Amino acid sequence: MRSSPDQIIRLVAVALGGLAALFAAVELANTVAPETPARPSASNDPLQAALASCRTMTPEELDTDKSCRAAWAEQRRRFLGLPDDEPEKE
């Protein structure tokens, strides 16, 4: 059984297409990495440790916990770059 030139060209085209798909899949697998957010260490900053413990509370507990409300207020102040409310003690 002889192969016609059309069949050979079709076979080569299918093989090249499969090879291109394989290379694309390998390249995609190499470039896509799972993103893990960087978590700051809570041990360096007492405010971060307080916020970490506040995250485990229920909303009802947070309404009555003044230390958590103060910690969140301090975090907002730092994030927004606002000045301290208290004058510096000398």
Side-chain angles (χ1 to χ4, degrees):
M1 182 155 125
R2 271 183 81 112
S3 298
S4 70
D6 288 341
Q7 287 177 334
I8 293 173
I9 291 173
R10 193 174 301 140
L11 180 64
V12 169
V14 168
L16 288 176
L19 197 58
L22 177 67
F23 284 137
V26 168
E27 185 64 27
L28 182 63
N30 288 339
T31 59
V32 176
E35 303 241 350
T36 55
R39 300 190 76 175
S41 174
S43 63
N44 295 341
D45 189 6
L47 177 62
Q48 295 301 320
L51 290 173
S53 67
C54 292
R55 286 186 198 104
T56 62
M57 294 183 168
T58 64
E60 292 79 21
E61 293 172 329
L62 286 173
D63 286 339
T64 59
D65 193 344
K66 293 183 193 238
S67 64
C68 282
R69 294 173 68 85
W72 284 113
E74 175 63 17
Q75 178 67 12
R76 272 191 307 277
R77 185 195 65 76
R78 286 185 185 183
F79 179 77
L80 296 173
L82 301 174
D84 287 337
D85 291 339
E86 299 176 14
E88 290 189 29
K89 298 174 185 173
E90 295 181 16

